[in-house]
Amino acid sequence: MQFVSINDVVIRYDVAGAGDRKPVIVFINSLGTDARIWDLVLPKLTDDYTVITYDKRGHGLSDLGKPPYRIEDHAADLAGLIDHLGYADVILCGLSVGGLIAQSLYVGRPDLVRALVLADTAHKIGAAEMWDERIAKVEVEGLGGMVDGIMQRWFTASYRVPENAAYQGYCNMLLRQPVAGYAGTCAAIRDADFTEAAKNIAVSTLCIVGAEDGSTPPDLVRSLADLVPGSRYHVIENAAHIPCVEAPAAFAAVLRDFLAQLPGE
């Protein structure tokens, strides 16, 4: 576990895997989670790739910064982290808001991006009114009253059972995120729209979605894939909004297949 100050925000990050000899993958976590959502996927990749995980501002062990945020704030933090580590031509793998951050980074710093994996995300997620309602609710009530509804979108019914200790663990992860960081990132999602920018993505792109995703359903993710020239689209069965948790082997296999077909591999 390492820390660095970027844009006056302390960011927690980790680097693991095969070192500079192999392609570098940067994983970007979703709203209300931290980098641990990738823990079941990383061991299936680190023999062959260098992997970077981090907590975006307002989440995990990273600083809160000054919410509300813009997606560009999150992207600038990530660009600063990649520059700090001395990498370029990285593969960005962003889940949900992480996918919006990946798209924003590509727009602002295409020199850093070799390929995109856009998981359970879209060019635009939700209407402004919905996000304003969620921000107002969480600022008044906290995250406790929202857990059940959020978990219904994050995970399938078969995962959300009392005997699954991991499910309770991910409930705890959500509950322990800073309310201001959660609400601030909701504002960033509300204001982000990459509908036009997606049409100009010129790197290899894979769009992945869990078949039962309740936040960014397959049809929405498919609409993103249709915008990105030459992109690939894949549905992961028996998973909802966070397939890297529910179906890590399937997620890693799809990712490996995509990476193996990148130019130069």
Side-chain angles (χ1 to χ4, degrees):
M1 183 165 54
Q2 302 179 67
F3 296 87
V4 62
S5 180
I6 298 168
N7 302 321
D8 296 321
V9 174
V10 171
I11 298 292
R12 188 215 69 82
Y13 71 95
D14 283 302
V15 180
D20 293 336
R21 304 184 312 274
K22 299 292 183 179
V24 177
I25 312 169
V26 181
F27 291 92
I28 316 167
N29 53 292
S30 55
L31 174 67
T33 69
D34 59 45
R36 289 173 291 183
I37 62 169
W38 304 106
D39 281 357
L40 300 177
V41 170
L42 298 189
K44 305 177 189 308
L45 299 169
T46 48
D47 284 349
D48 299 305
Y49 302 98
T50 298
V51 295
I52 300 168
T53 56
Y54 76 107
D55 294 337
K56 61 184 173 290
R57 63 168 63 193
H59 289 72
L61 298 183
S62 291
D63 273 354
L64 186 62
K66 296 179 180 179
Y69 315 124
R70 303 172 304 144
I71 286 295
E72 291 79 9
D73 297 327
H74 287 299
D77 293 343
L78 179 52
L81 175 60
I82 295 170
D83 285 338
H84 168 73
L85 295 172
Y87 292 120
D89 293 326
V90 303
I91 296 127
L92 299 178
C93 180
L95 176 69
S96 195
V97 66
L100 294 174
I101 295 168
Q103 292 173 74
S104 181
L105 181 57
Y106 177 77
V107 169
R109 290 288 306 274
D111 57 299
L112 294 179
V113 183
R114 179 181 178 185
L116 293 169
V117 179
L118 304 176
D120 299 82
T121 190
H123 45 288
K124 180 170 178 57
I125 302 176
E129 295 78 12
M130 181 272 285
W131 289 112
D132 286 339
E133 289 174 6
R134 188 180 297 192
I135 290 167
K137 183 177 177 65
V138 74
E139 287 180 341
V140 172
E141 301 179 10
L143 284 163
M146 302 174 66
V147 171
D148 289 345
I150 291 172
M151 290 297 150
Q152 288 174 19
R153 297 188 290 273
W154 279 14
F155 298 116
T156 61
S158 62
Y159 193 86
R160 301 189 320 268
V161 293
E163 57 269 27
N164 181 8
Y167 170 64
Q168 185 58 53
Y170 286 103
C171 291
N172 293 339
M173 178 183 286
L174 172 65
L175 284 167
R176 293 171 187 175
Q177 301 304 317
V179 166
Y182 184 94
T185 301
C186 286
I189 300 170
R190 177 196 63 199
D191 298 336
D193 187 344
F194 293 97
T195 304
E196 293 303 315
K199 300 174 185 177
N200 297 313
I201 293 175
V203 295
S204 298
T205 301
L206 168 66
C207 297
I208 307 175
V209 63
E212 300 178 47
D213 189 331
S215 293
T216 53
D219 285 350
L220 180 59
V221 179
R222 179 81 220 198
S223 70
L224 170 61
D226 288 343
L227 289 173
V228 180
S231 69
R232 295 173 57 184
Y233 172 75
H234 187 90
V235 177
I236 296 180
E237 300 297 332
N238 304 311
H241 189 56
I242 311 186
C244 51
V245 168
E246 280 200 271
F251 191 97
V254 174
L255 183 54
R256 274 186 168 277
D257 181 65
F258 172 70
L259 297 176
Q261 297 182 48
L262 289 178
E265 290 303 307

